[in-house]
Each structure stands twice: as structure tokens, then as C-alpha cells.
Amino acid sequence: MNIALERPGQPDVIELINDLDAYQKPLYPPESHYGIDIAALSAAHVLFAVARDEAGTAIGCGALVMNPGYGELKRMYVRPQNRGQGVAAKVLGYLEAEAAARGCAVFRLETGVRQPEALAFYARAGYARRERFGDYPDDPLSVFMQKEKAAP
């Protein structure tokens, strides 16, 4: 497996994002969807990582939006057939390392209450629940989490 920063507008990556939307949209009402689109993922302040298997097929992705004072994880997804192989943990670690190399020491995210696998994954990765942040509305379907990079 190879993980690298890539452009999100590639057809196989757009397919990953579409698969993520197809999974999440039935779980929540439209007003509780906070995913960002391909244009936003392409912004200069966004780190977008793609995991590819040995054949070069995109099997997972994730983004980290570099905000003043923190980085926010967005659009983390691994194809169902590639789950359980450590892909998500490797993408997350890659994004955190890339952001840390750019001076980011605080990582935040918003996910949903109806995604217990995601909640468990982030907790295992050291993320703890926190209060709402940024421009998110007060949504009972949202869970907010944060991790601080350990001092060297």
C-alpha cells in the first residue's frame, strides 16, 4: 500500500467520495451532513491523502483542513473490502504527520452518533470527545473529538 498527498478531483478518488456519501447520506438528515465537496478538498490549505493498493487502485482517503490553531479531519473513508487491514489508521497517521510537519499540533473532527465504528476508531487513535468547535451548529447527531500531538 502507498499513501500520498494527491489531487481529489481524480475520477477514482471522486468515486471514493461518492461511495462515502452513499454510505453516510441514509444515516442522517440533510441538515446534519457536514462533508466538504471536491472543490473545498482542492483548496491550498487542505491536505488530501489517498491510499492505493499494489495495483494502484484507490482504496481509501482522508483530508486534513489546516485552520488557524488546529487541523480538522474530513472525508476519511476506506472501501468496505479493504477494511480491517489498517488502511484507515495509516491514512490518519500520514495526515497527522504531514500536518505536524507544517506546525499543526491539535487535530479535531466531527463525526456522527450513528457511526459507532468511526467513534471507536478515533478513540483508539487517541481522540477524545470535546465541545462543539468552528462553525458547526448545535446538532444532537454530531460528536466532536480532539487529539493533541504529544510534545517531542
Side-chain angles (χ1 to χ4, degrees):
M1 175 177 40
N2 180 56
I3 301 171
L5 295 178
E6 296 188 18
R7 295 178 342 277
Q10 302 170 80
D12 57 346
V13 176
I14 291 170
E15 188 178 321
L16 278 178
I17 299 295
N18 289 341
D19 290 350
L20 171 58
D21 286 342
Y23 164 72
Q24 287 183 328
K25 284 187 177 179
L27 297 176
Y28 305 99
E31 64 273 13
S32 293
H33 284 273
Y34 305 109
I36 58 178
D37 63 17
I38 298 296
L41 289 170
S42 301
H45 68 288
V46 177
L47 306 176
F48 188 81
V50 178
R52 294 184 179 277
D53 64 14
E54 297 75 26
T57 303
I59 60 171
C61 64
L64 203 139
V65 179
M66 301 290 285
N67 294 303
Y70 67 92
E72 182 181 357
L73 285 167
K74 302 293 284 182
R75 296 306 203 162
M76 287 285 296
Y77 182 72
V78 174
R79 291 190 186 281
Q81 62 268 33
N82 299 105
R83 293 181 187 159
Q85 302 168 13
V87 176
K90 290 175 184 168
V91 170
L92 178 61
Y94 181 88
L95 285 168
E96 289 174 348
E98 287 289 325
R102 291 163 171 80
C104 184
V106 177
F107 308 105
R108 295 179 179 167
L109 64 91
E110 180 276 337
T111 191
V113 297
R114 296 180 181 151
Q115 293 171 262
E117 297 87 356
L119 292 168
F121 167 73
Y122 290 122
R124 284 191 309 274
Y127 285 77
R129 290 183 186 223
R130 58 154 291 140
E131 70 279 356
R132 180 169 47 103
F133 66 90
D135 295 331
Y136 287 100
D138 187 12
D139 186 337
L141 298 177
S142 287
V143 175
F144 301 94
M145 303 179 86
Q146 177 171 308
K147 176 181 178 179
E148 294 188 31
K149 183 180 175 290

